[in-house]
Amino acid sequence: MTAIHITDIEAAINHWRERAPACTGMALAPQVQALAEVYALMVYRHEDAVDENRLPPEALQAWMGWYDTTPDTPCIAICSTSQGDDLCKGCGRTFDEVQHWPAMTPGAKRQVWRRITLEHSAWRFNRYAERAAEGRSTGPTSHAPARTPSA
């Protein structure tokens, strides 16, 4: 199961709230409404993740709209897996994650992003943080460089 963490649902809600804020007496934007329903059920059920394949189509589309604004890869062009390390010192991904990144689903990629962010031990978070900051888009949900085509 590839699960989308509740923090990603929250980030997507905030992304859409910023782009289509509700005015007094007006309904929520459709993207916010779709994601808020998923979020409310997660909170009610005390779940911290939802299966990527079980999101309603409208919520998945809204989540993907947010996902497309996030960086695709945590790579900072310092890959120690090419030197034989099982875990890259630069980005924090495993050798298999680096190798299979292009084929991974958005939910699987976000799981990896969450893990490496929580571990906070990769050089992208400390020693070479300036590389990770290059190309960073502005906005409250931005937390890494803009999406790049590299693996």
Side-chain angles (χ1 to χ4, degrees), residues 1-111:
M1 170 180 99
T2 301
I4 296 172
H5 196 266
I6 196 166
T7 55
D8 275 1
I9 300 294
E10 291 170 344
I13 289 170
N14 290 332
H15 167 84
W16 288 110
R17 286 181 59 212
E18 184 178 296
R19 275 142 194 83
C23 298
T24 305
M26 296 186 68
L28 296 173
Q31 299 91 339
V32 175
Q33 181 67 39
L35 290 164
E37 289 174 9
V38 170
Y39 182 82
L41 286 173
M42 291 173 75
V43 170
Y44 178 76
R45 295 175 182 153
H46 302 282
E47 297 171 343
D48 63 357
V50 61
D51 186 341
E52 177 179 24
N53 297 320
R54 296 194 59 199
L55 280 178
E58 300 83 16
L60 180 60
Q61 183 178 6
W63 185 80
M64 287 298 298
W66 164 77
Y67 171 82
D68 287 341
T69 68
T70 66
D72 177 55
T73 178
C75 182
I76 60 168
I78 301 175
C79 191
S80 69
T81 61
S82 64
Q83 305 300 315
D85 288 347
D86 289 331
L87 190 68
C88 180
K89 290 179 178 92
C91 70
R93 293 179 292 171
T94 66
F95 177 79
D96 286 341
E97 289 165 346
V98 171
Q99 294 301 308
H100 299 291
W101 192 262
M104 292 172 73
T105 66
K109 288 179 180 181
R110 289 303 303 162
Q111 282 182 326

